[in-house]
Every structure is written in C-alpha cells, then in structure tokens.
Amino acid sequence: MTDDGWRVTVTPKAAMVLHRRYGKPSFVTATLGFWGTLHAERGQLRLMGHNDLVAVISEIEQVGTDQVYTGSGMFFPGLVVTIAGGEKLPLLPLERPGLLPHVRTDPSAIAAEIRAVVFGDA
C-alpha cells in the first residue's frame, strides 16, 4: 500500500458492475475500464478515479486473487473483490499507471493487506 492507497486498473467488467450498482463511472468509461486507487477502511473500500469518488463499497463478502481478464485478450494475476450478491470486481494492482506495460505487484500480498484492514484481521 502506498500512502495514498493501492493503485489498480479497474477492468471493464468491474467498471460495468460499479456503473450498474452505483451509477459511476459513466457508461463510456465503464466499457473501457480505468485506473483508480483503492482505500481500505474497516468494513469498506473506497474507489477513487483521478480525484473523484467512484464508489464506497461496503457489502464486501471476500477479497481474494484469481486470473483477471484485461478486456484485451490477456489474463493476469489480480485482485477479486466479491460484493453482496456474488458479483465480482476484478482489479489489476499496479505500481505506476501509464499507457506502457505496468509493473505489477503481488496480488496475494495486496489482498491480504486489504482483508486485514476491511475485516479487522490485523
């Protein structure tokens, strides 16, 4: 975690779930996915896109890892946040955003850190 949370790529699949549930991001942004920052607090995650609050996710059932589809034909190890109703938010952790290939961090370590904060395991 950085001082400013965990940087992630919000995949198009996750962005569409957020769009349907919370009304953000816009439909166009959701179809493309976007970069954001996750902030964990006891019982919830806040997802920021640039400087805007995209969603406060409080119905978290599980935070784990799995292969995440990027939307462009590739799968990478990523975070999967399962929210109420079994909907999944597949996210890709990043060290730094940009248009070129990213340095990816260990999603298992990030998932463990998020679980410790959200579920109070620490």
Side-chain angles (χ1 to χ4, degrees):
M1 179 174 141
T2 68
D3 291 338
D4 298 322
W6 294 273
R7 290 185 213 97
V8 294
T9 295
V10 180
T11 63
K13 180 179 177 182
M16 288 304 289
V17 170
L18 294 169
H19 175 75
R20 278 195 318 273
R21 286 182 79 111
Y22 304 106
K24 285 186 175 183
S26 69
F27 181 77
V28 172
T29 300
T31 59
L32 300 172
F34 62 96
W35 290 299
T37 306
L38 275 179
H39 299 275
E41 299 171 2
R42 176 82 174 169
Q44 69 181 15
L45 288 170
R46 285 182 297 118
L47 178 62
M48 303 291 290
H50 302 289
N51 294 323
D52 300 324
L53 179 65
V54 175
V56 176
I57 305 160
S58 57
E59 314 104 357
I60 302 166
E61 293 179 351
Q62 182 179 344
V63 178
T65 59
D66 200 354
Q67 292 293 308
V68 172
Y69 181 66
T70 64
S72 61
M74 297 182 292
F75 288 86
F76 291 109
L79 296 170
V80 178
V81 177
T82 305
I83 56 179
E87 288 188 290
K88 297 183 184 304
L89 302 175
L91 308 168
L92 293 168
L94 302 176
E95 276 295 311
R96 57 185 168 76
L99 295 176
L100 298 175
H102 310 294
V103 176
R104 288 178 173 73
T105 58
D106 178 16
S108 297
I110 294 172
E113 290 177 19
I114 292 172
R115 277 193 303 273
V117 174
V118 172
F119 300 121
D121 296 338

